[in-house]
């Protein structure tokens, strides 16, 4: 009976226990001492935003540069998974889920509110109406465009690459594996996962809290509920979180995927409704100008810190820097979810899609919704919409009142918010379960149910106590340290990609090109296991020495004096032809060693591994080209290899344009010496 009723868990205690302690402590202070907590956290946030905002600005800029470089580089063809892997989801479903997890509720919440806020911002009050209208959309596109998605794309790329290519757990700690190796499984890896879990939890709680308020406001506007109150918000949270848990339990391929596809269709329908029944010509024209403004001012906005415009600094802190911090703090959650659904995509396809498609859609969305609201406020509403700019929960529904079929469009709007609410929550539950279990392949359902319940409980407690603001501020503060962590991800990912490219580009060694099956037994005997120092030295003293000796005799018969040098260095031999005015021809062989990785030290099918080193008989040349292992050559093959290089040497010295490379004294040095001689002669004449 006890075995049947016991709850099995896949949680990592090193992650879940510290995370839950920290979450409950922060939630306790935010819930019971909301004003004091918020005041303290605001001081810290203000210091970061005002004094260290350049770190966020430069961080996001570096993210974009790195991603664009990868997209157009030789690494773009690498797949997020084995070379033969295929995407798990259709392109439409994939993009739909990107929106659902990334910016769903925010798109609805700020669809009208942000453009109107920029339009009426005090920082731009001295500008004309037309300029304020254009800047409103330009800055909205800036905040929701490529910069935002570059943060998500980079974190998701690192996670997907190391999980599906390196076969590491789908965990943030895995992104540092090339830098710290197996230490990612230790305490520093736990710290990163704890940070990711808490950041994800806080981000979802605050977003769900604000989303519930907007749903409540919309239902009140339509007369479905009598007022905006905590009682109705409890009911809304219970219903929506229950749906989220059911969706999360059913998994990505069913619940989240189907809801995301349905919601994407709903968003497109609403978009076309506003476009058709709103000021269509104005929308299209202003959208076109908005795209042009965004592109032409892209670099200026990217590097702008408004330091020379004191009047604009508060706006800059409250919008641009806040957004960068918000997106960065959300990146563990969104990045993990994007990684989960992106297996099988190439790096180029992944970056292009994640950077450009959501950014373009957001520009269309805000171009339609924001431009319509500004036009209506200027021409019909007579400032009524602008008066609600500080009440974004009701502003969107008030905006729809100025269009036909306002009740129907409001219903669609609420339904979209609800589905975004559910998809954000269920994807968040899946991500948190993945972090807390170190990417366990299968977790019991009670874990996801428990996380959903805790999300709902804390969202309601903080909403009722007024502590959501403090929790949101805490989330924003975490963006600064995580920016530095993401920069380490770039270094780690760059190192891993270079190793990846080298590994898959590695072809047969040059010395195998002349192999046939005639001597296969002899070659196999030499190839088995790793070679020792004695084996290589024996090769140099026998095969190489005999080959070079035969070559020396043959060259002598042709009237060319060649030398075999054995005493230059120990464990080394050279075949040399010396010249007066051109570089000597040199073909040498020396013993070199590499340390054998620890992970294969005790493999039973790899003999001759006594010293923990592998020795090779590496060739080298007079012009310092990179050599290769020669120890599996027979004497005749080694002679043939030397002659190949000698033939190359003869072809090079016969061409005038190679003079600087083959001359024993470079042309430049000769000129300098001639100038020195001429100067000396002039001095003698003067004497």
């Amino acid at each position: 009976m006890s075995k049947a009723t016991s709850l099995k868990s896949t949680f990592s205690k090193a992650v879940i226990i510290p995370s839950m302690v920290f979450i409950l402590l922060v939630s306790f202070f935010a819930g019971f001492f909301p004003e004091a907590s918020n005041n303290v956290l605001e001081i810290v946030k203000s210091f970061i935003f005002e004094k260290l905002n350049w770190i966020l600005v430069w961080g996001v800029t570096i993210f974009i540069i790195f991603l664009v470089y990868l997209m157009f580089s030789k690494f773009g063809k690498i797949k997020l998974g084995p070379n033969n892997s295929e995407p798990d989801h259709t392109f439409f479903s994939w993009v739909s889920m990107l929106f659902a997890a990334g910016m769903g509720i925010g798109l609805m919440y700020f669809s009208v509110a942000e453009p109107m806020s920029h339009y009426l911002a005090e920082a731009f009050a001295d500008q004309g109406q037309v300029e304020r209208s254009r800047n409103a959309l330009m800055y909205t596109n800036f905040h929701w465009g490529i910069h935002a998605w570059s943060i998500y794309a980079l974190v998701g790329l690192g996670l997907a690459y190391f999980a599906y290519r390196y076969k590491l757990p789908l965990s943030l700690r895995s992104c540092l594996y090339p830098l710290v190796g197996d230490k990612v499984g230790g305490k520093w890896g736990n710290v990163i996962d704890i940070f990711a879990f808490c950041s994800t939890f806080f981000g979802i709680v605050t977003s769900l809290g604000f989303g519930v308020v907007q749903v409540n406001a919309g239902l009140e506007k339509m007369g479905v509920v009598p007022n905006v109150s905590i009682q109705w918000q409890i009911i809304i949270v219970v219903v929506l979180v229950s749906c989220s848990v059911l969706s999360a339990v059913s998994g990505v391929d069913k619940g989240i995927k189907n809801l995301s596809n349905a919601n994407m269709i709903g968003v497109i329908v609403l978009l076309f409704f506003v476009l058709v029944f709103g000021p269509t010509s104005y929308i299209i024209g202003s959208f076109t100008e908005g795209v042009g403004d965004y592109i032409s001012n892209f670099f200026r906005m990217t590097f702008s810190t408004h330091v020379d415009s004191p009047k604009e600094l508060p706006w800059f802190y409250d919008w641009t820097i806040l957004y960068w911090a918000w997106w960065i703090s959300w990146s563990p959650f969104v990045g993990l979810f994007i990684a989960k659904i992106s297996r099988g995509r190439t790096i180029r396809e992944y970056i292009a899609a994640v950077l450009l498609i959501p950014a373009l859609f957001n520009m269309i969305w805000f171009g339609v919704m924001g431009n319509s609201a500004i036009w209506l406020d200027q021409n019909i509403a007579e400032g009524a919409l602008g008066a609600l700019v500080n009440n974004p929960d009701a502003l969107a529904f008030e905006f729809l009142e100025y269009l036909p079929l306002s009740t129907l469009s409001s219903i669609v709007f609420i339904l979209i918010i609800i589905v975004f609410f559910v998809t954000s929550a269920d994807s968040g539950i899946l991500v948190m379960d993945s972090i807390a279990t170190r990417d366990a392949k299968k977790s019991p359902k009670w874990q996801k149910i428990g996380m959903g319940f805790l999300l709902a409980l804390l969202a309601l407690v903080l909403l009722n106590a007024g502590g959501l603001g403090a929790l949101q501020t805490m989330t924003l503060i975490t963006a600064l340290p995580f920016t530095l962590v993401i920069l380490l991800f770039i270094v780690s990912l760059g190192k891993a990609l270079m190793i990846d490219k080298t590994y898959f580009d590695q072809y047969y060694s040059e010395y195998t090109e002349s192999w046939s099956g005639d001597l296969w037994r002899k070659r196999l005997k030499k190839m088995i296991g790793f070679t020792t120092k004695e084996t290589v030295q024996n090769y140099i003293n026998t095969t190489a020495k005999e080959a070079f000796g035969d070559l020396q005799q043959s060259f002598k018969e042709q009237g060319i004096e060649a030398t075999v040098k054995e005493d230059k260095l120990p464990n080394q031999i050279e075949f040399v032809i010396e010249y007066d005015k051109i570089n000597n021809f040199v073909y040498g062989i020396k013993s070199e060693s590499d340390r054998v990785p620890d992970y294969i030290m005790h493999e039973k099918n790899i003999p001759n591994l006594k010293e923990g080193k592998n020795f090779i008989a590496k060739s080298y040349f007079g012009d310092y080209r990179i050599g290769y292992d020669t120890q599996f050559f027979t004497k005749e093959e080694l002679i043939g290899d030397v002659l190949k290089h000698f033939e190359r040497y003869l072809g090079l010295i016969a061409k005038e344009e190679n003079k600087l490379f083959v001359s024993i004294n470079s042309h430049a040095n000769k000129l300098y010496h001639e100038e020195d001689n001429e100067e000396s002669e002039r001095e003698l004449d003067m004497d």
Side-chain angles (χ1 to χ4, degrees):
M1 176 73 71
S2 62
K3 289 183 179 179
T5 56
S6 63
L7 294 176
K8 293 183 179 180
S9 171
T10 57
F11 284 136
S12 167
K13 293 181 180 179
V15 176
I16 192 66
I17 293 176
S19 297
M20 295 311 302
V21 169
F22 183 73
I23 286 170
L24 293 175
L25 282 175
V26 172
S27 300
F28 172 81
F29 284 105
F32 288 92
F33 309 100
E35 188 173 345
S37 300
N38 199 45
N39 289 338
V40 173
L41 293 174
E42 276 292 335
I43 293 173
V44 179
K45 189 191 84 170
S46 296
F47 175 79
I48 292 173
F49 280 23
E50 293 177 17
K51 304 298 183 183
L52 302 175
N53 62 76
W54 56 271
I55 297 177
L56 298 176
V57 171
W58 270 107
V60 175
T61 303
I62 292 171
F63 301 163
I64 295 175
I65 293 172
F66 180 71
L67 288 170
V68 172
Y69 163 74
L70 287 186
M71 184 167 62
F72 291 104
S73 73
K74 60 185 178 182
F75 305 116
K77 295 181 180 179
I78 295 176
K79 282 194 173 184
L80 300 177
N83 288 334
N84 63 347
S85 58
E86 296 295 332
D88 294 335
H89 307 283
T90 66
F91 191 78
F92 181 81
S93 296
W94 181 48
V95 173
S96 299
M97 288 188 283
L98 291 180
F99 281 103
M103 297 180 174
I105 293 178
L107 278 178
M108 310 304 294
Y109 193 81
F110 290 102
S111 58
V112 175
E114 182 168 349
M116 288 295 298
S117 295
H118 298 326
Y119 172 68
L120 298 171
E122 186 178 344
F124 309 119
D126 56 345
Q127 297 176 354
Q129 186 181 80
V130 174
E131 189 175 2
R132 284 189 290 117
S133 299
R134 294 181 63 169
N135 282 345
L137 268 297
M138 182 180 71
Y139 282 114
T140 302
N141 291 335
F142 176 56
H143 294 150
W144 292 78
I146 290 175
H147 291 72
W149 284 95
S150 70
I151 301 168
Y152 294 160
L154 184 54
V155 176
L157 177 62
L159 287 162
Y161 177 80
F162 287 107
Y164 305 134
R165 191 79 172 176
Y166 268 52
K167 299 180 177 63
L168 294 172
L170 188 63
S171 168
L172 285 171
R173 69 174 70 201
S174 298
C175 296
L176 295 177
Y177 185 84
L179 297 182
V180 298
D182 294 336
K183 292 181 181 179
V184 294
K187 59 182 180 180
W188 288 110
N190 291 336
V191 169
I192 293 174
D193 280 349
I194 291 168
F195 173 86
F197 186 91
C198 295
S199 179
T200 300
F201 196 97
F202 290 152
I204 294 173
V205 167
T206 52
S207 290
L208 296 187
F210 295 136
V212 166
V213 173
Q214 191 176 29
V215 171
N216 195 174
L219 293 175
E220 184 208 20
K221 183 75 175 176
M222 296 173 58
V224 178
V225 298
N227 52 45
V228 176
S229 64
I230 189 64
Q231 291 79 12
W232 287 109
Q233 289 164 11
I234 290 174
I235 296 173
I236 293 169
V237 167
V238 169
V239 173
L240 296 186
V241 172
S242 298
C243 295
S244 301
V245 170
L246 288 174
S247 177
V249 169
S250 65
V252 172
D253 291 330
K254 294 180 180 178
I256 297 176
K257 181 177 178 178
N258 293 333
L259 284 173
S260 299
N261 289 343
N263 216 38
M264 194 66 181
I265 294 172
V267 168
I268 293 173
V269 169
L270 182 62
L271 192 69
F272 275 101
F273 169 78
V274 176
L275 177 63
V276 171
F277 291 100
T280 306
S281 297
Y282 177 81
I283 291 173
I284 296 174
S286 57
F287 166 75
T288 304
E289 286 189 343
V291 173
D293 289 339
Y294 175 69
I295 294 173
S296 61
N297 291 280
F298 183 87
F299 292 102
R300 179 183 65 81
M301 292 188 294
T302 296
F303 292 98
S304 179
T305 58
H306 299 264
V307 70
D308 294 324
S309 305
K311 186 179 179 181
E312 297 176 8
L313 281 175
W315 172 89
F316 175 63
Y317 301 145
D318 291 341
W319 286 99
T320 303
I321 296 302
L322 183 142
Y323 264 127
W324 286 186
W326 190 243
W327 302 143
I328 290 170
S329 65
W330 262 67
S331 62
F333 157 47
V334 181
L336 267 166
F337 184 75
I338 292 176
K340 271 184 172 291
I341 62 176
S342 298
R343 186 180 184 276
R345 306 283 174 183
T346 65
I347 289 178
R348 181 171 293 121
E349 178 187 17
Y350 170 92
I351 295 175
V354 177
L355 275 190
L356 300 179
I357 294 177
L360 178 59
F361 182 85
N362 288 350
M363 291 173 69
I364 296 172
W365 174 258
F366 285 109
V368 172
M369 304 296 286
N371 283 325
S372 296
I374 291 173
W375 186 90
L376 288 171
D377 192 61
Q378 292 173 347
N379 296 279
I380 297 178
E382 298 180 347
L385 292 177
L388 291 173
V389 72
N390 294 321
N391 184 14
D393 300 322
L395 178 56
F397 297 102
E398 184 67 25
F399 157 71
L400 293 174
E401 289 291 328
Y402 289 91
L403 298 175
L405 305 173
S406 58
T407 301
L408 179 60
S409 61
S410 295
I411 292 173
V412 173
F413 198 87
I414 291 175
L415 289 175
I416 293 172
I417 295 174
I418 289 172
V419 177
F420 272 140
F421 184 110
V422 173
T423 52
S424 294
D426 59 12
S427 56
I429 291 169
L430 287 176
V431 166
M432 287 190 294
D433 185 72
S434 176
I435 297 171
T437 62
R438 292 192 181 183
D439 195 30
K441 299 303 178 185
K442 190 174 182 180
S443 298
K445 293 181 179 180
W446 72 265
Q447 291 182 186
K448 299 181 181 68
I449 296 171
M451 285 188 187
F453 173 77
L454 189 60
L455 281 172
L457 179 64
L458 291 183
L460 288 172
V461 168
L462 294 172
L463 195 62
N464 185 46
L468 277 179
L471 202 62
Q472 184 186 41
T473 304
M474 179 68 194
T475 306
L476 295 173
I477 291 172
T478 63
L480 183 69
F482 196 62
T483 301
L484 304 179
V485 173
I486 299 176
L487 291 173
L488 288 178
F489 286 178
I490 290 178
V491 178
S492 182
L493 184 58
K495 183 178 180 180
L497 288 170
M498 286 189 284
I499 295 172
D500 189 313
K501 188 69 175 170
T502 302
Y503 176 86
F504 284 100
D505 285 351
Q506 182 72 38
Y507 196 60
Y508 307 121
S509 299
E510 291 188 35
Y511 59 76
T512 63
E513 292 182 0
S514 61
W515 284 10
S516 67
D518 296 339
L519 303 172
W520 71 271
R521 293 182 188 276
K522 185 177 180 180
R523 295 194 198 280
L524 178 60
K525 186 176 180 180
K526 286 185 176 182
M527 289 171 61
I528 291 299
F530 289 88
T531 50
T532 63
K533 184 177 182 180
E534 292 75 17
T535 304
V536 173
Q537 189 59 50
N538 181 62
Y539 171 80
I540 291 174
N541 292 337
T542 56
T543 304
K545 186 174 181 179
E546 291 174 10
F548 287 0
D550 288 356
L551 275 170
Q552 182 184 29
Q553 181 61 35
S554 297
F555 272 92
K556 186 175 181 180
E557 292 172 1
Q558 301 298 322
I560 298 175
E561 190 68 33
T563 306
V564 178
K565 298 182 179 181
E566 301 180 63
D567 55 353
K568 183 177 180 181
L569 287 173
N571 308 319
Q572 191 168 334
I573 189 170
E574 280 185 0
F575 178 80
V576 182
I577 302 176
E578 297 180 349
Y579 298 93
D580 294 329
K581 296 184 178 180
I582 57 176
N583 294 325
N584 295 339
F585 172 77
V586 178
Y587 185 112
I589 298 174
K590 59 183 177 181
S591 176
E592 283 194 357
S593 65
D594 285 319
R595 191 182 69 84
V596 176
D598 294 336
Y599 63 86
I600 60 172
M601 283 293 294
H602 303 292
E603 285 286 347
K604 62 181 179 180
N605 281 330
I606 302 181
N608 303 330
L609 201 52
K610 299 175 183 178
E611 301 180 56
K613 292 183 179 180
N614 179 46
F615 289 82
I616 64 172
K618 188 174 182 179
S619 60
Y620 62 91
F621 314 101
D623 54 1
Y624 307 106
R625 286 174 292 121
I626 298 175
Y628 43 85
D629 191 4
T630 65
Q631 64 182 309
F632 300 123
F633 277 146
T634 63
K635 184 180 78 170
E636 290 74 17
E637 289 169 342
L638 181 56
I639 290 172
D641 197 54
V642 176
L643 292 179
K644 286 180 182 179
H645 286 276
F646 186 64
E647 188 276 335
R648 173 185 178 274
Y649 175 84
L650 294 177
L652 291 172
I653 64 174
K655 295 181 180 179
E656 177 70 23
E657 60 265 27
N658 294 329
K659 181 178 180 179
L660 290 178
F661 290 100
V662 303
S663 175
I664 197 166
N665 291 313
S666 75
H667 185 60
N669 283 334
K670 185 178 179 182
L671 289 177
Y672 289 140
H673 290 313
E674 288 176 353
E675 290 176 358
D676 292 340
N677 291 336
E678 290 175 0
E679 184 67 27
S680 298
E681 290 176 1
R682 282 196 295 270
E683 290 176 357
L684 287 172
D685 290 340
M686 291 176 66
D687 291 339

